[in-house]
mmCIF file of all heavy atoms in Angstrom:
data_model
loop_
_atom_site.group_PDB
_atom_site.id
_atom_site.type_symbol
_atom_site.label_atom_id
_atom_site.label_comp_id
_atom_site.label_asym_id
_atom_site.label_seq_id
_atom_site.Cartn_x
_atom_site.Cartn_y
_atom_site.Cartn_z
ATOM 1 N N ILE A 123 -39.058 14.954 -12.409
ATOM 2 C CA ILE A 123 -38.259 15.567 -11.357
ATOM 3 C C ILE A 123 -37.150 16.362 -12.030
ATOM 4 O O ILE A 123 -36.412 15.829 -12.854
ATOM 5 C CB ILE A 123 -37.693 14.507 -10.398
ATOM 6 C CG1 ILE A 123 -38.866 13.775 -9.712
ATOM 7 C CG2 ILE A 123 -36.767 15.140 -9.371
ATOM 8 C CD1 ILE A 123 -38.464 12.625 -8.821
ATOM 9 N N GLU A 158 -49.956 10.378 -11.669
ATOM 10 C CA GLU A 158 -50.191 11.548 -10.823
ATOM 11 C C GLU A 158 -51.079 11.172 -9.650
ATOM 12 O O GLU A 158 -51.866 11.965 -9.166
ATOM 13 C CB GLU A 158 -50.786 12.703 -11.611
ATOM 14 C CG GLU A 158 -49.827 13.290 -12.618
ATOM 15 C CD GLU A 158 -50.349 14.544 -13.266
ATOM 16 O OE1 GLU A 158 -50.963 15.372 -12.572
ATOM 17 O OE2 GLU A 158 -50.137 14.685 -14.476
ATOM 18 N N ALA A 175 -40.026 21.746 -4.291
ATOM 19 C CA ALA A 175 -40.965 21.957 -5.399
ATOM 20 C C ALA A 175 -40.317 21.725 -6.763
ATOM 21 O O ALA A 175 -40.357 22.569 -7.650
ATOM 22 C CB ALA A 175 -41.586 23.344 -5.312
ATOM 23 N N GLU A 185 -51.141 14.053 -20.458
ATOM 24 C CA GLU A 185 -52.217 13.065 -20.560
ATOM 25 C C GLU A 185 -53.440 13.601 -19.826
ATOM 26 O O GLU A 185 -53.310 14.210 -18.765
ATOM 27 C CB GLU A 185 -51.786 11.740 -19.913
ATOM 28 C CG GLU A 185 -50.578 11.119 -20.584
ATOM 29 C CD GLU A 185 -49.969 9.995 -19.772
ATOM 30 O OE1 GLU A 185 -49.610 10.235 -18.598
ATOM 31 O OE2 GLU A 185 -49.842 8.889 -20.302
ATOM 32 N N GLU A 188 -58.725 10.865 -18.099
ATOM 33 C CA GLU A 188 -59.182 9.543 -18.544
ATOM 34 C C GLU A 188 -58.000 8.650 -18.904
ATOM 35 O O GLU A 188 -57.985 7.464 -18.596
ATOM 36 C CB GLU A 188 -60.136 9.668 -19.733
ATOM 37 C CG GLU A 188 -60.643 8.333 -20.240
ATOM 38 C CD GLU A 188 -61.358 7.478 -19.186
ATOM 39 O OE1 GLU A 188 -62.012 8.035 -18.290
ATOM 40 O OE2 GLU A 188 -61.241 6.234 -19.258
#
Side-chain angles (χ1 to χ4, degrees):
I123 298 175
E158 292 188 40
E185 299 167 304
E188 180 57 33

